[in-house]
Amino acid sequence: IIEPMAFCQCVSLRQIEIPSSVTEIGYQAFDQCSSLTNIKIPSSITIIHDWTFRLCTSLIHVEIPTSITEIGREAFNECSSLLKIKIPSSVKKIGEHAFMPQIIYI
């Protein structure tokens, strides 16, 4: 598990590779990591919790696996560099303001 708020406000964090042994990313784990550009979520994760990547303003690419069933409230809020994201059909719930400002969903 990546604990809640584990990397919160780590403004120097540019990339992270999450191993498949991780089964949960806690809420706000990467909140305000303004230099983070790419994230690949392993298929061992099923939920993207509330505020997980909020204010990651440099985030341009997110790979969401088909194991994800829920994207939490404000999960990608204010990720202003994230212009396009593919949401798999496995996602059954998207929380309020998950993607603000508006981006293109494919």
Side-chain angles (χ1 to χ4, degrees):
I1 185 169
I2 296 177
E3 295 292 333
M5 301 179 74
F7 296 95
C8 186
Q9 298 182 355
C10 287
V11 295
S12 297
L13 183 64
R14 293 182 178 273
Q15 290 188 42
I16 190 163
E17 185 172 331
I18 301 171
S20 60
S21 58
V22 173
T23 57
E24 185 177 348
I25 301 172
Y27 69 93
Q28 285 186 283
F30 297 96
D31 186 17
Q32 300 178 58
C33 292
S34 58
S35 296
L36 186 63
T37 59
N38 293 293
I39 191 86
K40 181 178 180 183
I41 300 167
S43 60
S44 54
I45 304 293
T46 59
I47 296 173
I48 299 173
H49 287 286
D50 297 348
W51 308 291
T52 300
F53 300 103
R54 186 179 68 99
L55 285 165
C56 290
T57 54
S58 296
L59 191 62
I60 56 172
H61 182 257
V62 177
E63 193 170 321
I64 298 178
T66 57
S67 60
I68 298 295
T69 59
E70 182 178 333
I71 297 173
R73 183 173 199 260
E74 296 189 38
F76 295 95
N77 192 307
E78 297 298 327
C79 292
S80 54
S81 296
L82 185 62
L83 299 177
K84 187 167 69 171
I85 191 167
K86 183 175 182 180
I87 300 174
S89 61
S90 59
V91 175
K92 303 301 179 200
K93 180 180 178 185
I94 298 177
E96 185 177 8
H97 304 295
F99 300 96
M100 293 290 287
Q102 184 176 359
I103 61 168
I104 299 170
Y105 304 98
I106 58 172

